[in-house]
Amino acid sequence: MGASDPLLRISGLHKSFSVDGRRLPVLVDCALEVGRGEVVAIVGRSGSGKSTLLNMIGLLDRADGGEHVFDGVDVTRLGEGRRARLRNTGVGFVFQTFHLLERRTALANVCVPMVLGGVPAVRRRAHGRRLLESVGLRDRVTSRPHQLSGGEQQRVALARALSMDPAMVLADEPTGALDGATSEQIMDQLLVQARTRGTAVVIVTHEPSVAAAADRRIAIEEGRTRPAE
Ligand SMILES: Nc1ncnc2c1ncn2[C@@H]1O[C@H](COP(=O)(O)OP(=O)(O)OP(=O)(O)O)[C@@H](O)[C@H]1O
Ligand SMILES: [Mg+2]
């Protein structure tokens, strides 16, 4: 693929769910292009389908139809094994509720994608330490999640999301459980990652300040995407 091709290209994407034997259309016609290093915010009211769209982008779920190309690969044609590998190496995830393993240390949590990716133990521990240092948690390598504040836990989750150096990070309301100053820190770290490493970031948010910091905003309304202010 050429350097000018977007990293992600989605068009005509649609998805419905089966609820009580009836089809509930959630995404009707969604289109989205994201370039390398671009930071795009997705906004829309609760239930509009933001997480559903993010799950498609992150290869966690399949659309019913439409075009979906990621990093030059038509992912609609991939079998489950190849989708899982592409998800592990190409995409990093950050969620509102952190999703850390409670009984494991910060370092072990950061290393999870590298374990799945077959990175040798010595290398992954060294890389995990560097990542924790880069998010300001050098002194919390052996802390368990319950010993960390919400903001610190989210920084561990961010380090984990970056551990395979993915082309794209997907964040679903990553600052929803944090106070204003801590939200800003997390958003700053996502922006630094985009600017310095060329990582694309797609972030779902209800917070105007987070959306305003993105390069571009897309709204979902009645199952359709449109550019937002
Ligand atoms: N697996 C599922 N089965 C049935 N319905 C679903 C499923 N997943 C999502 N939905 C429905 O799809 C709609 C969109 O849900 P989604 O979680 O994408 O919304 P959202 O925009 O992320 O909302 P919020 O801002 O509250 O997180 C909702 O009506 C939800 O009930
Ligand atoms: Mg959601």
Side-chain angles (χ1 to χ4, degrees):
M1 90 172 193
S4 61
D5 287 338
L7 174 67
L8 172 72
R9 190 174 72 241
I10 278 175
S11 68
L13 199 84
H14 50 102
K15 173 79 176 176
S16 45
F17 292 107
S18 210
V19 179
D20 299 331
R22 289 177 33 206
R23 297 301 285 172
L24 171 75
V26 174
L27 303 179
V28 176
D29 183 6
C30 288
L32 181 63
E33 284 197 1
V34 182
R36 291 178 191 277
E38 201 180 10
V39 180
V40 177
I42 297 181
V43 300
R45 63 170 181 72
S46 180
S48 59
K50 303 179 299 296
S51 296
T52 302
L53 179 60
L54 210 68
N55 289 344
M56 309 283 157
I57 297 172
L59 309 176
L60 289 168
D61 198 2
R62 278 181 192 272
D64 298 332
E67 187 191 18
H68 183 178
V69 178
F70 176 63
D71 212 356
V73 177
D74 176 357
V75 298
T76 63
R77 294 172 179 274
L78 293 185
E80 283 312 315
R82 288 193 57 203
R83 278 171 72 90
R85 277 198 296 283
L86 187 58
R87 182 162 64 230
N88 183 243
T89 58
V91 189
F93 294 93
V94 183
F95 300 96
Q96 180 175 1
T97 51
F98 322 132
H99 290 210
L100 297 175
L101 301 172
E102 273 307 318
R103 302 169 67 102
R104 309 296 303 278
T105 64
L107 181 61
N109 270 284
V110 172
C111 288
V112 166
M114 296 189 277
V115 172
L116 295 173
V119 176
V122 173
R123 256 183 54 203
R124 68 177 183 249
R125 277 198 292 274
H127 189 47
R129 285 177 190 279
R130 272 197 303 277
L131 285 162
L132 281 170
E133 197 172 328
S134 76
V135 296
L137 292 176
R138 192 178 64 174
D139 300 331
R140 309 310 298 268
V141 168
T142 58
S143 298
R144 305 278 195 290
H146 71 270
Q147 299 169 316
L148 298 170
S149 72
E152 288 165 345
Q153 290 184 60
Q154 195 59 305
R155 283 188 273 155
V156 173
L158 182 58
R160 178 182 58 188
L162 301 177
S163 66
M164 295 295 281
D165 198 16
M168 184 165 64
V169 169
L170 301 180
D172 196 348
E173 299 190 47
T175 62
L178 307 176
D179 66 39
T182 315
S183 294
E184 206 170 298
Q185 267 184 8
I186 294 290
M187 190 57 186
D188 281 349
Q189 272 163 352
L190 286 167
L191 290 167
V192 166
Q193 180 70 19
R195 303 301 179 238
T196 60
R197 306 279 309 174
T199 310
V201 177
V202 179
I203 180 166
V204 168
T205 186
H206 285 288
E207 285 170 74
S209 63
V210 170
D215 298 324
R216 203 150 54 79
R217 285 147 291 283
I218 298 288
I220 304 186
E221 210 176 281
E222 294 178 348
R224 296 168 200 276
T225 44
R226 63 167 174 80
E229 282 300 295

